[in-house]
Amino acid sequence: MALQKCKITKYTYGKPFFTDAVTEKIAQGEGAPAYVTEIENGFTYQMGDSDVVYGLGENVRGINKRGWHYISNNTDDPNHREDKVSLYGTHNFIIVDGKERFGLFIDYPGKLSFDIGYTERNTLTITAEEMDLDLYILEGESLNDIVKGLRQMIGRSYIAPKWAFGYGQSRWSYMTADEVREVVKKHRENHIPLDSVYLDIDYMERYKDFTINKETFPDFADFVQEMKEENIHLVPIIDAGVKIEEGYDVYEEGVEKGYFCKEADGSYFTGAVWPGLVHFPDMLNPDARKWFGHKYKILMDQGIDGFWNDMNEPAIFYSAKRIKKAMETAKAVDSDNMDMVHFDEFREIVSTLSNNPEDYKSFYHNVDGKGTMVCHDKVHNLFGYNMTRAAGETFEELEPEKRVLMYSRSSYPGMHRYGGIWQGDNLSWWSHLKLNMSMMPSLNMIGFLYTGADLGGFGADTTEDLMLRWLEFGIFTPLMRNHSALGTRRQEAYQFGAMEAMKKIIGLRYGLLPYIYSEYMKSALRGEMYMKPLGFDYENDAFAAKVEDQLLLGDSIMVAPVYEQNAEGRYVYLPETMKMVKFRSLTERTEEILPAGHHYVPIALDEVVIFIRPNHILPLSKGGENVADTDFTDLELLGYVTEEASYEWYDDDGYGRDYENPANYTTFTVKADKTVEVKGQKKLKVQVNL
Ligand code: MIG
């Protein structure tokens, strides 16, 4: 592969499991790898005092991962506290930026631990459970070159349909079709823009994948159509476990064909999740994957064009054999006057029922479909990836001309080609708004571009101000979805006194869409990041490298959201002079040129602020109540131009896969005197606003 600005070298240790994460052939290095020192089961590197370590995708803590340790071990953990070491995904890519600059990608589907200055402040240590892995060292002149190199190596990121860049409303669960209708009606009558409503597990019949509860969602295909006429896409959830129930075709077929994960003795592994007892489809078996993927067609045939894959770490509430043993132990310690030793024993067995490592060690994958069995534990981090790949490969086969929305909870590199991710079960905490901001660039690096967090927070009760502030950041994330858990306070925009403000903020998203979509598409097609830490573009600015709470969004703007309760503004660092634009809505705005340096910027609860870089512009639409209703041919160019600015704008029909068509590109060149030159094949109405 001819990589212009990034040199990648591969070092193979032991017998790595083939993950299909890397799509290009990379030359093997000779001798020991550069930069790192080999140690038993891993590598180590001495960091400089102020080196920055970027990466690790979806994880707790900041953009700079120094000062903590992390373990790649996909886990269903709804409590994203600072002391956690694993979340739902595995993203083994870091860039060390300091006295030396290089990237490390480790293709290994088992448990991998990163100690980034946790045990010793300046020591980075990476250790694998077993030394069967591929290490890739990436050398490039700039951080952006290293990212680009990695992305060329792992293939193009998933591209969502344009409607999926609109606002989505979700809840665990909207229980009936009428409840969904009500949600849509409330948005439409209050003119709160909306493109999608999510169906959580209760749309199914007893949580059986690919079924519909006919009592609560009668005439489903008609209902999907009815919603389409309102420009609403319904997006059902699919869970990893298949309910064990006689007469349920997916279960019966899976058993008959041998497509479920098996224990060592050849019997099917039985776990329990929402449906009760389940078997897990063997997503790593190519035949089983194809079979499971084709089941999505059942819903596609009823008009569905988007899905989210859940519980695919896979989450296991308990395994059949473990709960049996637990019950026996409970009985054995049962007494009217339980002493603390027995109580501890009892508590221990109950608290280790879910996601137990021993259970993950007790089932196997038929990885070639021909009987080569690999223990789940060794390839654990590939399960969600391959579930999503099952769907993605089916979509490519059945809908070659059409994009289908797909995102997953669990992930591994390679999956980024088939779908996006949402950032799991966060809480309605201010610190989780901040976490959402930190995860964006870390995930973008490794190719997960279509991503976002549950806006307003999933677990726990949200507050009006948190909802507002979170929306003010969420309008910039490709996936923009409000989602909340069972039993929590309702958090649809119309539930709040501040509905008018929320409506204007969501409306601003539709104004920004021509820019957001264009930046998304360019970053996917070119292997770049959609959201970047400041250090990526201001490499010689030591202060910029340490900014944790501001992000560059595409070429033209920087965002600096408020993420603290009761704050009426915040400090913002400007690496260069920029134009600040403060929006109360798409049309109500003020502007101010701010010089490079530190500023305190007042930002009221209902305001959104962006900073435009010098000699940059961005295209805005006139807004809309859904994507179909938003006119991408009537544009306003907003900018900060002292001499000349040029913007390469990407736009397409939003549904097809004709990405390489040159007609998708238009170039706007604006001069300080507001004259504009438009080069491209589209018929556009363009107005300049500097
Ligand atoms: O155990 O389907 O992350 O978004 O609402 C919880 C119910 C299962 C977890 C997902 C969440 C979803 C919920 N699911």
Side-chain angles (χ1 to χ4, degrees):
M1 180 185 39
L3 276 175
Q4 298 285 307
K5 294 181 175 159
C6 182
K7 182 177 158 226
I8 311 183
T9 318
K10 176 180 180 181
Y11 299 88
T12 299
Y13 295 84
K15 285 203 176 79
F17 184 84
F18 182 64
T19 66
D20 243 336
V22 173
T23 50
E24 296 292 322
K25 209 166 162 41
I26 306 293
Q28 281 281 348
E30 303 198 352
Y35 305 102
V36 294
T37 308
E38 293 172 1
I39 53 169
E40 203 190 331
N41 275 3
F43 312 96
T44 183
Y45 176 77
Q46 266 326 102
M47 300 180 285
D49 285 339
S50 58
D51 288 10
V52 176
V53 179
Y54 294 105
L56 293 188
E58 184 186 34
N59 255 304
V60 296
R61 301 200 177 217
I63 291 174
N64 183 350
K65 302 317 275 188
R66 277 188 78 140
W68 189 239
H69 61 123
Y70 308 86
I71 301 176
S72 296
N73 180 31
N74 295 356
T75 306
D76 170 18
D77 187 339
N79 211 336
H80 311 168
R81 291 191 323 242
E82 260 180 57
D83 60 343
K84 294 300 167 80
V85 295
S86 308
L87 292 175
Y88 314 86
T90 287
H91 309 116
N92 297 333
F93 176 49
I94 57 170
I95 301 179
V96 176
D97 183 28
K99 61 180 170 48
E100 292 175 298
R101 177 182 284 158
F102 59 96
L104 287 180
F105 174 62
I106 296 169
D107 193 4
Y108 175 66
K111 283 182 216 60
L112 188 67
S113 99
F114 291 81
D115 179 332
I116 311 183
Y118 166 71
T119 303
E120 263 177 19
R121 174 100 194 102
N122 283 348
T123 307
L124 162 70
T125 306
I126 303 171
T127 43
E129 203 165 59
E130 280 163 312
M131 209 50 183
D132 292 311
L133 55 84
D134 285 317
L135 164 73
Y136 295 86
I137 305 251
L138 296 91
E139 295 167 280
E141 221 158 89
S142 69
L143 297 167
N144 289 317
D145 289 342
I146 293 174
V147 168
K148 227 175 161 154
L150 173 89
R151 301 276 292 289
Q152 287 190 31
M153 177 171 96
I154 62 174
R156 199 193 67 213
S157 296
Y158 164 77
I159 293 173
K162 205 185 225 178
W163 62 262
F165 290 82
Y167 181 53
Q169 181 60 55
S170 186
R171 172 91 182 164
W172 173 18
S173 299
Y174 295 126
M175 299 299 289
T176 63
D178 279 342
E179 201 181 336
V180 173
R181 286 189 180 97
E182 175 75 9
V183 171
V184 172
K185 189 170 142 241
K186 283 270 166 53
H187 281 84
R188 291 287 181 252
E189 73 190 15
N190 290 302
H191 305 288
I192 305 164
L194 187 68
D195 270 274
S196 53
V197 176
Y198 284 76
L199 302 180
D200 209 323
I201 46 175
D202 296 285
Y203 78 88
M204 295 182 235
E205 185 191 283
R206 293 191 299 287
Y207 308 128
K208 288 185 293 184
D209 280 339
F210 313 111
T211 69
I212 305 288
N213 182 327
K214 294 201 174 60
E215 262 143 53
T216 49
F217 288 87
D219 307 313
F220 190 65
D222 293 344
F223 178 52
V224 175
Q225 192 49 37
E226 176 193 326
M227 289 292 114
K228 279 241 160 99
E229 277 154 27
E230 298 250 14
N231 286 320
I232 296 291
H233 298 257
L234 294 179
V235 187
I237 195 169
I238 305 293
D239 276 9
V242 168
K243 185 173 176 63
I244 298 178
E245 186 182 280
E246 252 171 67
Y248 170 34
D249 52 353
V250 181
Y251 161 73
E252 289 189 341
E253 270 175 47
V255 166
E256 191 197 300
K257 295 181 198 279
Y259 285 163
F260 295 123
C261 292
K262 291 179 181 153
E263 305 217 22
D265 66 3
S267 64
Y268 290 118
F269 172 81
T270 302
V273 208
W274 293 109
L277 295 184
V278 300
H279 290 327
F280 291 103
D282 187 351
M283 304 297 181
L284 275 72
N285 170 343
D287 303 326
R289 190 160 64 229
K290 184 158 188 191
W291 164 76
F292 190 78
H294 274 252
K295 295 295 169 203
Y296 287 75
K297 186 170 184 294
I298 297 171
L299 292 167
M300 290 160 81
D301 287 345
Q302 299 178 69
I304 291 297
D305 52 10
F307 300 90
W308 48 313
N309 280 346
D310 191 20
M311 307 302 275
N312 50 3
E313 294 69 29
I316 304 176
F317 291 167
Y318 65 81
S319 69
K321 50 182 189 224
R322 182 164 308 279
I323 202 150
K324 201 154 172 259
K325 238 176 73 200
M327 287 315 229
E328 282 160 16
T329 317
K331 273 180 214 144
V333 299
D334 186 23
S335 120
D336 291 339
N337 184 7
M338 201 188 278
D339 63 34
M340 286 312 114
V341 173
H342 285 127
F343 175 67
D344 274 348
E345 207 179 314
F346 173 71
R347 189 159 55 184
E348 172 71 13
I349 50 168
V350 173
S351 68
T352 53
L353 275 175
S354 298
N355 308 323
N356 191 297
E358 294 306 314
D359 284 333
Y360 292 125
K361 280 186 189 146
S362 74
F363 61 92
Y364 293 79
H365 296 279
N366 179 357
V367 294
D368 53 3
K370 297 184 188 106
T372 306
M373 304 306 277
V374 173
C375 184
H376 173 79
D377 177 58
K378 301 205 185 302
V379 290
H380 173 71
N381 295 330
L382 298 177
F383 192 89
Y385 161 18
N386 281 285
M387 176 184 182
T388 301
R389 180 180 179 179
E393 285 175 344
T394 303
F395 303 155
E396 280 164 20
E397 181 193 326
L398 301 179
E399 297 279 12
E401 307 296 330
K402 206 180 118 194
R403 303 177 213 170
V404 179
L405 172 63
M406 163 52 69
Y407 57 89
S408 169
R409 193 170 70 180
S410 186
S411 59
Y412 185 93
M415 199 201 90
H416 72 290
R417 301 191 297 267
Y418 301 101
I421 63 162
W422 89 100
Q423 293 162 12
D425 294 347
N426 59 7
L427 288 151
S428 297
W429 290 358
W430 291 84
S431 59
H432 283 185
L433 163 53
K434 175 87 186 305
L435 189 58
N436 182 189
M437 290 161 59
S438 314
M439 282 184 189
M440 292 304 298
S442 315
L443 281 166
N444 280 189
M445 287 170 70
I446 185 77
F448 289 96
L449 296 176
Y450 190 78
T451 181
D454 291 350
L455 303 178
F458 174 73
D461 291 329
T462 200
T463 57
E464 181 176 276
D465 53 351
L466 179 59
M467 194 69 236
L468 279 162
R469 291 303 194 194
W470 215 321
L471 285 171
E472 289 164 16
F473 177 62
I475 61 169
F476 298 112
T477 61
L479 164 62
M480 181 192 178
R481 178 180 77 148
N482 176 338
H483 181 46
S484 53
L486 194 72
T488 59
R489 177 181 185 176
R490 304 221 69 121
Q491 62 187 43
E492 297 85 5
Y494 54 81
Q495 306 283 0
F496 299 95
M499 179 183 81
E500 278 302 309
M502 291 185 192
K503 165 177 138 184
K504 288 177 177 179
I505 295 163
I506 299 164
L508 181 56
R509 162 68 163 219
Y510 289 76
L512 291 165
L513 263 183
Y515 179 69
I516 287 177
Y517 185 69
S518 167
E519 289 305 316
Y520 183 90
M521 293 302 295
K522 287 189 294 180
S523 55
L525 297 171
R526 297 173 183 171
E528 294 172 354
M529 291 161 74
Y530 168 87
M531 279 180 166
K532 284 185 265 192
L534 303 198
F536 279 63
D537 282 7
Y538 298 95
E539 288 199 317
N540 300 319
D541 182 332
F543 193 88
K546 300 285 150 92
V547 173
E548 286 276 339
D549 59 356
Q550 302 173 201
L551 293 168
L552 298 166
L553 193 179
D555 282 339
S556 304
I557 67 172
M558 178 177 83
V559 298
V562 174
Y563 54 89
E564 280 175 338
Q565 189 158 32
N566 301 320
E568 293 175 345
R570 52 162 290 172
Y571 286 92
V572 178
Y573 174 67
L574 268 57
E576 59 184 328
T577 303
M578 292 187 186
K579 180 193 266 186
M580 174 175 79
V581 185
K582 216 178 248 185
F583 295 88
R584 249 207 171 93
S585 70
L586 180 54
T587 50
E588 303 159 86
R589 23 173 142 131
T590 57
E591 297 183 356
E592 192 182 338
I593 310 287
L594 295 179
H598 298 269
H599 299 269
Y600 181 80
V601 177
I603 307 171
L605 202 46
D606 59 351
E607 285 177 338
V608 175
V609 168
I610 63 170
F611 299 85
I612 308 178
R613 298 165 75 169
N615 291 311
H616 281 83
I617 50 176
L618 67 154
L620 302 181
S621 79
K622 299 279 150 63
E625 286 194 25
N626 53 70
V627 172
D629 175 44
T630 304
D631 186 354
F632 282 68
T633 66
D634 183 2
L635 303 175
E636 173 189 346
L637 299 179
L638 181 64
Y640 174 31
V641 182
T642 53
E643 285 156 36
E644 186 180 293
S646 174
Y647 182 74
E648 195 180 15
W649 183 52
Y650 179 100
D651 190 42
D652 59 19
D653 68 0
Y655 300 91
R657 296 183 192 244
D658 189 14
Y659 307 126
E660 307 298 336
N661 192 337
N664 298 341
Y665 290 92
T666 307
T667 305
F668 302 112
T669 306
V670 172
K671 296 221 167 72
D673 65 4
K674 297 192 185 183
T675 52
V676 57
E677 193 192 327
V678 183
K679 271 201 200 131
Q681 302 175 25
K682 292 198 162 67
K683 255 194 151 12
L684 302 170
K685 205 173 128 199
V686 178
Q687 171 212 336
V688 177
N689 186 358
L690 301 182

